[in-house]
Amino acid sequence: EQRIALSNQWLSSVQREVRNDFLEAKRQYDQFDDELSALQNVEERAVLKGARVIGATTTGAAKYRELLESSKPGILIIEEAGEVLEAHILSS
């Protein structure tokens, strides 16, 4: 019984350590991912700022709404193969 108790205690200790290491690695990953996204947004914004015309699907326009707004293109063309009402595009 004492061996089982010690084994369970050791197992719990190892699991706690692995869990803590994993959570720290995830935190670092999330931080690096945020930094990478910010750098990519800066680069994409610089490219789009020079564009007079930008084309996007409704999905792309919704996904990159903030990027498109900040680039302030002269003309923004939104296209979709399916039927999409104008109100849905404008609200995106």
Side-chain angles (χ1 to χ4, degrees):
E1 287 183 30
Q2 186 179 12
R3 292 171 93 185
I4 292 173
L6 285 173
S7 175
N8 288 338
Q9 182 181 10
W10 175 80
L11 182 60
S12 294
S13 175
V14 169
Q15 286 175 336
R16 188 172 31 257
E17 185 177 330
V18 168
R19 183 175 34 249
N20 290 339
D21 290 347
F22 174 79
L23 292 174
E24 176 59 23
K26 183 184 180 320
R27 185 194 65 73
Q28 287 180 353
Y29 171 83
D30 290 342
Q31 180 182 349
F32 292 142
D33 187 49
D34 290 345
E35 290 174 11
L36 179 61
S37 293
L39 289 172
Q40 288 172 335
N41 283 343
V42 167
E43 183 179 334
E44 290 168 352
R45 197 169 322 224
V47 169
L48 291 178
K49 280 222 183 254
R52 290 181 27 198
V53 178
I54 296 175
T57 63
T58 55
T59 302
K63 183 177 179 181
Y64 298 108
R65 183 183 57 81
E66 290 179 16
L67 185 62
L68 292 171
E69 284 177 356
S70 69
S71 66
K72 297 182 177 131
I75 299 172
L76 178 60
I77 299 172
I78 299 177
E79 180 277 331
E80 189 59 50
E83 286 188 35
V84 178
L85 299 176
E86 183 179 347
H88 292 167
I89 293 172
L90 294 175
S91 66
S92 293

